[in-house]
Each structure stands twice: as structure tokens, then as C-alpha cells.
């Protein structure tokens, strides 16, 4: 029997169900128990001991169980098996479930299953089993992990460390790519045990994966080095927990970036610790939240990085990259530890809009299939990797990759921003376009009024009153389409804006979505989210402005390019109102504005029609595919 990944996963799920239906137990305990059964099964196959796990009709479950438990003790006595001892090394006590699982596996040869199949299936089970916990642990999506590993490009002679290894995903990536030595540290005993099993399933050595209690890898540097058993990492691949603060003053004072502080984000301290552990010239590929790269309060961290390392690459990830576990806006940073006399050269940067997953964690696919009829992830990562490899060969990024990828010089003030937004080429393009404009250019604040929020504006409304409301979710990205919902006043928790007919609303939250709408003249007034900025006609503007034209311009590249350098924040990246007020707009004559608006709407109608036709074609293709599948299904059962 050929066992593919799907079959192996179903097999393990059935085993988990056997433990659940017998003595119960939580999903985490069942996961561990199933893992142990798989190990003794593989060990028995490798050492011709399979008869120990089978029974004839005369033997009781207890006899088979005792033989299986004795086999587990043999596993633990092996060199690699010793790594599975400790607090999680005891054999399952559920006699009925153990014997049923062994019976299920009696006709299966696990040693015939390809290591990649077992490893991939096991990683899927890990994601199905474990959820984010109080240590801010969650799984790096497999395709993102592979991208980071490919960027770092480990070699056979590398020693790769993940100081916050979790289930060992980055270590597995390094094993798959280069078969090199891997080291793992984690604060969680269960995750350390899981990582050891994961490494074993991928033919690696689990002996150098250690659990460090307390502050984990952020604890005593001597303790960390002792756990590494004298190994000096030449590469560190990690996605450390960056969503919580470390507040232990004794630990903080051991870090340059924590000394004298009451609290510091763990992600920041991890960066310093990784650089400290790296061998000279060693590579660090780390996923960090964008606040490290763009907030003024973290300038000391950026200065520390630049003083000790060469910043090789920064890749901005979309805020859905780790949803639903985390909404933090993050980036992949690749650097290497500076050697004597080495100076900072140009830095590769890229701005990924899609990384193959939806906000709920489900895969995001393209509208087309590959040549073999398989669904294709919608992701910019392969193209970014291609641009990165081109940059390494040629020393620059060809213009063909703009604006997805580009290279910049980071020479500037100490602690300057390192995020992609602050160096984005759309900013230079916007400034160039404004400089070449044949029309006069004015700041937004001189053309329209920016209405302030009023905390008291809803006091006259009854709490149960149903009011017109526009939230961010009521606005389509890029199109200018929107809907007005009606909600009870009591659902509004913060001071909103009021809007009226004739206004233009622009979202300062997630400006890449370009959510801008024009409220038609004569529309009833209502309320809108505090994250929307309301622009209203000014009694005496510096130049007459058509509000439809303004709405179109605010969704344009020339405006977005001006906003990009001012985008900050991690969970909800945004642009401040002062930056919006200073946006510059080309303003032709009023008649020309209306002519441009008319042409724009004609082209937009053509685009919408074409989009609908394409959607209809995809629907027909899907119907044909379903019909062909149904016909083949019917034929199989009527033959």
C-alpha cells in the first residue's frame, strides 16, 4: 500500500480518536501518546521486532501492552531515544487505546513511508493540535518558513540555531535544505519534546534541542551557552515571541537594550541575544514586528543592529501573515554579524502584499490552476526570492521587480528607520510625478477642511436609537464602493466622526487598501469610524476642488507614495492626521477636474464589466469541472 500524506494524517487522527474514546484526555496529551506509538512501531520495524506488537486470539490486551511498553523503554535507551526522556517520556497508561492503535498499524509499514511524507503530515498535525498560548507561541506558516530558510540559504557545514524553536519548523527547513547540524532552545517543555520528535522524523539529531526554564533563551548567557554544549551557531533562523514584555529587572540589566528599563519587548531582547550568540560573519534571519523598525522609541535597537551587523535584507509582510493567531505587522530581517573592516553596502528590500493565506488562516489561492490542475497559492514570496537571488549575484535589483523589490542605501542618521515603508520607491516616484506636474500643486489642508472628532456628538442620541453608520468594513478597498449600515447607538464605543452629503472619507488605517469614498450630495448625514478622516468643502479654498476628483486622487499612486513613509504601527498600521493634511494634490482647472473624473468613471465601468465577464468564465469552468467529476463518479458506480 502506498501511504501518502493525506492517508498518514487520517491514520494518526484515527489513533487520536481511539485514545479520546477510551479514557479521554486532552488533545495535547493524545498527540503525545500517538507520537510514542508511532515511534515504537518504527523502531519495531527497523529491528525486526514487529511480533512484539501483535497478538494472537489467546493473548490479553495487558500482555500486548506490556510488550509495547518494554519496547518504548528500549527506544529510550538508544542514543537518539535518550533525547525523548524527561517529563514527557512516560508510556501511555491507556491499555485499550494502545492495543487498538497497534492493531490499526499492524498492516502498515511506516519505514516504507517517505520521510518527507511523514514529516509533512506530522507538521500538519502539529498545526491542528497546538494553538497560541501564553508564551506567544504560534506556528510560522510552512511556505513563509521555507521562504526565510531559502533567503538565508544554509549550507551543509552550517550550525543552525533557533533560540525559540517551538515545534522546530525552522530547524526542519534547514535539515531539508542542507542536512546541517541543528540546535534548538525553547521555554516550553512540551514544545521542546515535540521539536525533538519532529527532528527525528526528518532524520536529524534531536539531542541538541533543550528546554530552558524561566526566561528561556533570554536567561543567563552562560546557561544558554551550556545548553548549546559549546557549539557556536553560524546561522540563526527564528520567529521569536514579540507580543509580550519581559519585566524582570535582573534579566533586563544583562542586556544593552534592556538595561535601566522597567520593561522591554521580548522580540527586541531576542535580537540582541541572537547577535551575541552568532559566530563572526554568521547570518541571522529573524521575523520581528515592525515597531522595532519604525518607532522612535526603538531607535536604540536599530542603532545596536547597525553597529554590530550588516543589514542585508528587509522584507515587509502583510498584516494577515500570522492571522488568526496574531495581527502584528511584521517583517523578515536578514543580517550578518559584522567582521573587522566590513562596511554596510546596499540593502535589499521587498514589500509582500500576499503570502498565501487569508485572515482566518485558510490558504489564499490564485484564480487559476497550475499545469497539473493543482491550486496555486497567491503569494509574492517566490518572486521576492527570485529578486533577492538576483540582488546577491548582481549587487542591485533590476527595475523589472519594482515596486515589489528594490535596493537602498541605509547610510543616514543613527537609529534611522529600517522598515520598507520609509524607503519605499513609490515615495520617490510620487515626488517625481509631483515635480513634473504641469498643474499647480496644493496641500490638502489648503483645499478642504479636516473635520475633528467630537466626543459629545452622540450625547443627544438615545442609546437604543438606530443611526446611519459607515465602518471600515463597509468600504471596499480601492474601488470607492461603500454601504451605509444602521446600528444601535450603544454599539459605538469611541468618539466617531459625523459625515454629510458632499464629504470625502479617507481611512488612515491600513492605507495600502486605499479606502476612500465620496458621499453624494444630498445624502443624509450619519456617523463613521474614528479611523476615517472626514474631508469637507472649505468656504474659501486656495483653489476650487471638485470632491469627486479629490476622491479619485486620494486613491492614486501619487498620494499613496506620499503617505507610505509615514505609515507606522504593528497591529493596525496607520498614517497620522498631520501627514494626511500635508498630502499634495495637483489641481487643474475645475472644468478639467470634471473632465478627468468623467473619463475615470467611463474606464472604471469598462473595468467592472471585464471583471464580471472574467468571474463568469471562472464560474463556467468550475461548473464544467464539477460536472466532469460527477460524470466520472457516476460511471465508476454504474460500470
Amino acid at each position: 500500500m502506498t501511504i501518502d500524506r493525506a492517508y498518514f494524517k487520517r491514520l494518526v487522527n484515527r489513533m487520536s480518536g481511539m485514545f479520546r474514546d477510551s479514557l479521554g484526555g486532552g488533545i495535547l496529551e493524545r498527540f503525545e501518546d500517538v507520537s510514542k506509538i508511532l515511534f515504537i512501531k518504527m523502531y519495531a520495524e527497523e529491528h525486526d521486532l514487529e511480533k512484539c506488537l501483535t497478538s494472537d486470539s489467546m493473548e490479553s490486551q495487558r500482555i500486548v501492552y506490556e510488550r509495547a511498553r518494554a519496547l518504548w523503554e528500549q527506544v529510550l535507551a538508544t542514543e537518539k531515544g535518550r533525547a525523548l526522556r524527561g517529563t514527557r517520556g512516560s508510556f501511555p497508561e491507556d491499555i485499550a487505546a494502545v492495543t487498538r492503535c497497534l492493531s490499526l498499524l499492524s498492516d502498515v509499514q511506516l519505514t516504507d513511508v517517505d520521510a518527507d511524507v511523514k514529516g509533512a503530515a506530522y507538521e500538519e498535525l502539529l498545526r491542528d493540535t497546538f494553538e497560541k498560548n501564553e508564551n506567544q507561541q504560534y506556528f510560522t506558516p510552512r511556505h513563509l518558513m521555507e521562504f526565510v530558510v531559502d533567503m538565508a540559504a544554509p549550507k551543509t557545514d552550517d550550525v543552525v540555531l533557533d533560540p525559540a524553536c517551538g515545534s522546530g519548523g525552522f530547524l526542519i527547513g534547514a535539515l531539508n535544505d542542507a542536512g546541517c547540524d541543528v540546535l534548538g532552545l525553547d521555554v516550553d517543555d512540551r514544545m521542546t519534546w515535540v521539536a525533538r520528535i519532529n527532528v527525528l522524523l526528518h532524520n536529524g539529531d534531536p539531542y541538541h534541542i533543550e528546554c530552558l526554564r524561566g526566561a528561556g533563551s533570554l536567561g543567563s548567557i552562560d546557561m544558554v551557552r551550556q545548553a548549546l554544549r559549546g557549539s557556536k551557531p553560524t546561522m540563526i533562523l527564528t520567529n521569536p515571541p514579540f507580543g509580550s514584555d519581559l519585566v524582570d529587572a535582573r534579566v533586563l540589566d544583562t542586556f544593552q537594550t534592556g538595561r535601566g528599563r522597567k520593561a522591554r519587548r521580548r522580540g527586541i531582547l531576542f535580537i540582541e541575544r541572537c547577535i551575541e550568540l552568532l559566530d563572526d560573519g554568521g547570518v541571522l534571519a529573524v521575523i520581528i514586528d515592525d515597531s522595532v523598525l519604525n518607532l522612535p522609541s526603538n531607535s536604540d535597537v536599530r542603532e545596536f543592529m547597525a553597529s554590530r551587523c550588516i543589514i542585508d535584507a528587509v522584507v515587509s509582510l502583510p498584516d494577515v501573515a500570522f492571522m488568526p493567531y496574531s495581527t502584528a505587522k511584521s517583517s523578515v530581517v536578514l543580517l550578518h554579524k559584522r567582521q573587522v573592516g566590513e562596511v554596510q553596502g546596499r540593502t535589499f528590500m521587498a514589500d509582500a502584499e500576499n503570502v498565501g493565506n487569508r485572515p482566518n488562516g485558510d490558504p489564499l489561492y490564485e484564480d487559476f490552476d497550475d499545469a497539473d490542475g493543482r491550486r496555486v497559492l497567491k503569494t509574492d514570496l517566490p518572486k521576492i526570492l527570485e529578486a533577492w537571488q538576483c540582488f546577491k549575484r548582481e549587487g542591485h535589483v533590476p527595475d523589472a521587480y519594482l515596486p515589489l523589490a528594490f535596493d537602498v542605501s541605509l547610510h543616514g542618521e543613527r537609529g534611522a528607520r529600517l522598515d520598507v515603508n520609509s524607503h519605499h520607491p513609490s515615495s520617490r516616484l510620487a515626488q517625481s510625478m509631483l515635480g513634473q506636474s504641469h498643474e499647480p500643486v496644493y496641500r490638502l489642508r489648503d483645499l478642504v477642511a479636516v473635520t475633528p472628532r467630537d466626543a459629545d456628538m452622540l450625547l443627544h442620541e438615545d442609546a437604543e436609537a438606530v443611526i446611519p453608520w459607515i465602518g471600515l468594513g463597509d468600504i471596499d478597498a480601492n474601488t470607492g464602493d461603500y454601504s451605509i449600515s444602521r446600528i444601535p447607538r450603544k454599539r459605538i464605543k469611541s468618539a466617531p466622526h459625523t459625515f454629510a452629503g458632499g464629504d470625502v472619507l479617507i481611512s488612515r488605517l491600513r492605507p495600502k487598501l486605499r479606502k476612500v469614498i465620496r458621499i453624494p450630495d444630498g445624502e443624509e448625514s450619519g456617523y463613521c469610524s474614528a479611523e476615517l478622516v472626514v474631508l469637507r468643502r472649505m468656504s474659501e479654498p486656495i483653489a476650487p476642488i471638485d470632491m469627486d476628483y479629490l476622491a479619485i486622487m486620494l486613491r492614486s499612486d501619487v498620494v499613496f507614495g506620499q503617505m507610505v513613509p509615514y505609515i507606522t504601527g504593528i497591529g493596525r498600521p496607520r498614517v497620522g492626521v498631520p501627514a494626511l493634511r500635508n498630502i499634495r494634490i495637483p489641481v487643474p482647472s475645475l472644468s478639467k477636474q470634471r473632465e478627468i473624473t468623467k473619463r475615470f468613471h467611463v474606464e472604471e465601468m469598462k473595468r467592472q464589466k471585464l471583471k464580471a465577464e472574467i468571474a463568469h468564465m471562472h464560474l463556467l469552468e468550475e461548473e464544467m469541472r464539477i460536472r466532469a467529476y460527477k460524470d466520472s463518479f457516476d460511471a465508476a458506480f454504474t460500470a
Side-chain angles (χ1 to χ4, degrees), residues 537-554:
R537 288 189 179 96
M538 191 182 274
S539 57
E540 295 183 4
I542 195 169
I545 186 78
D546 181 90
M547 299 301 276
D548 288 310
Y549 170 80
L550 177 64
I552 292 169
M553 287 303 302
L554 290 176

Side-chain angles (χ1 to χ4, degrees), residues 98-214:
V98 168
T99 53
R100 287 171 188 160
C101 287
L102 292 174
S103 177
L104 177 68
L105 294 174
S106 61
D107 295 327
V108 176
Q109 283 292 116
L110 292 179
T111 49
D112 290 342
V113 182
D114 187 85
D116 288 341
V117 171
K118 285 185 289 193
Y122 196 74
E123 288 174 55
E124 285 186 36
L125 291 167
L126 286 171
R127 283 162 173 77
D128 291 344
T129 302
F130 292 91
E131 294 290 335
K132 183 179 176 182
N133 63 23
E134 64 274 11
N135 289 323
Q136 303 296 314
Q137 293 170 321
Y138 48 85
F139 288 94
T140 306
R142 182 183 177 93
H143 52 280
L144 179 55
M145 177 273 294
E146 291 173 346
F147 167 77
V148 174
V149 173
D150 287 341
M151 282 199 72
K155 300 178 178 61
T156 305
D157 59 350
D158 271 316
V159 177
V160 176
L161 166 68
D162 185 346
C165 68
S167 64
F170 281 113
L171 305 182
I172 302 308
L175 281 171
N176 289 341
D177 266 34
C180 53
D181 290 338
V182 295
L183 314 170
L185 304 172
D186 201 89
V187 71
D188 188 297
D189 175 64
R190 172 176 273 124
M191 295 308 296
T192 304
W193 191 86
V194 168
R196 289 170 180 162
I197 290 185
N198 206 1
V199 168
L200 266 174
L201 282 170
H202 286 82
N203 299 323
D205 185 350
Y207 194 58
H208 293 288
I209 299 174
E210 293 285 345
C211 175
L212 296 178
R213 301 289 189 179

Side-chain angles (χ1 to χ4, degrees), residues 42 64 73 90 107 120 143 160 169 175 240 248 304 331 347 415 421 489 491 503 508 526 545 574 601 608:
M42 287 188 290
V64 178
E73 293 300 325
S90 60
D107 295 327
H143 52 280
V160 176
L175 281 171
D248 188 328
F304 178 87
S331 294
T347 298
N421 284 336
R489 197 276 289 176
R491 282 178 51 188
D503 291 343
R508 65 192 191 95
I545 186 78
R574 69 192 66 215
H601 287 310
Q608 292 289 357

Side-chain angles (χ1 to χ4, degrees), residues 483-513:
S483 60
I484 298 178
S485 54
R486 296 188 175 273
I487 64 172
R489 197 276 289 176
K490 63 184 179 183
R491 282 178 51 188
I492 301 176
K493 304 302 181 183
S494 59
H497 291 287
T498 56
F499 68 84
D503 291 343
V504 169
L505 279 54
I506 178 172
S507 174
R508 65 192 191 95
L509 182 72
R510 299 178 68 194
K512 286 186 177 181
L513 296 181

Side-chain angles (χ1 to χ4, degrees), residues 448-464:
V448 289
V450 179
T451 65
R453 286 191 293 164
D454 184 353
D456 299 326
M457 66 175 58
L458 284 176
L459 291 181
H460 68 282
E461 299 276 12
D462 181 81
E464 301 298 329

Side-chain angles (χ1 to χ4, degrees), residues 191-459:
M191 295 308 296
T192 304
W193 191 86
V194 168
R196 289 170 180 162
I197 290 185
N198 206 1
V199 168
L200 266 174
L201 282 170
H202 286 82
N203 299 323
D205 185 350
Y207 194 58
H208 293 288
I209 299 174
E210 293 285 345
C211 175
L212 296 178
R213 301 289 189 179
S217 296
L218 301 181
S220 161
I221 186 64
D222 292 335
M223 178 188 69
V224 174
R225 286 180 172 142
Q226 183 179 1
L228 297 179
R229 297 183 175 88
S231 297
K232 189 74 171 178
T234 60
M235 179 176 289
I236 295 178
L237 309 172
T238 189
N239 180 10
F242 47 68
S244 62
D245 289 342
L246 193 147
V247 296
D248 188 328
R250 292 172 299 178
V251 177
L252 287 169
D253 284 343
T254 64
F255 289 85
Q256 179 177 321
T257 54
R259 197 169 300 133
R261 293 175 177 265
K262 293 182 179 180
R264 201 80 204 248
R265 288 280 175 173
R266 280 183 167 82
I268 290 172
L269 302 175
F270 262 100
I271 293 171
E272 180 176 337
R273 177 53 50 89
C274 288
I275 293 172
E276 186 177 14
L277 292 173
L278 267 179
D279 199 4
D280 288 345
V283 172
L284 169 62
V286 57
I287 299 175
I288 56 178
D289 72 77
D290 278 7
S291 70
V292 177
L293 303 178
N294 62 31
L295 289 187
S297 59
N298 290 327
S299 62
D300 64 315
V301 187
R302 298 191 289 274
E303 186 175 339
F304 178 87
M305 293 164 64
S307 67
R308 305 289 184 90
C309 301
I310 301 297
I311 314 297
D312 295 307
V314 181
V315 178
S316 176
L317 303 175
D319 51 7
V320 300
F322 296 105
M323 290 183 183
Y325 304 113
S326 171
T327 59
K329 177 73 175 66
S330 55
S331 294
V332 178
V333 177
L334 187 72
L335 47 81
H336 69 270
K337 199 166 182 177
R338 189 189 297 268
Q339 295 179 296
V340 176
E342 194 173 10
V343 297
Q344 177 70 54
R346 294 190 69 78
T347 298
F348 175 89
M349 288 194 169
D351 186 17
E353 292 189 7
N354 295 295
V355 292
N357 65 291
R358 300 180 184 276
N360 64 357
D362 290 342
L364 174 65
Y365 294 108
E366 297 280 8
D367 294 332
F368 54 84
D369 297 339
D370 66 12
D372 297 320
R374 293 172 299 196
R375 304 205 71 181
V376 179
L377 278 180
K378 187 173 185 177
T379 171
D380 298 320
L381 298 180
K383 196 72 174 179
I384 290 173
L385 182 63
E386 180 185 301
W388 162 245
Q389 292 167 342
C390 184
F391 171 78
K392 288 198 296 182
R393 289 193 308 270
E394 302 179 16
H396 71 279
V397 180
D399 289 346
Y401 290 103
L402 286 171
L404 179 66
F406 52 97
D407 58 274
V408 299
S409 171
L410 292 180
H411 297 298
E413 62 184 53
R414 296 169 65 182
R417 286 174 58 171
L418 294 177
D419 59 304
V420 170
N421 284 336
S422 62
H423 299 276
H424 205 282
S426 60
S427 177
R428 296 192 298 272
L429 178 62
Q431 297 303 325
S432 174
M433 292 169 66
L434 289 169
Q436 297 174 29
S437 173
H438 297 296
E439 307 293 348
V441 175
Y442 301 107
R443 296 190 184 277
L444 190 63
R445 67 188 183 201
D446 296 322
L447 298 170
V448 289
V450 179
T451 65
R453 286 191 293 164
D454 184 353
D456 299 326
M457 66 175 58
L458 284 176
L459 291 181

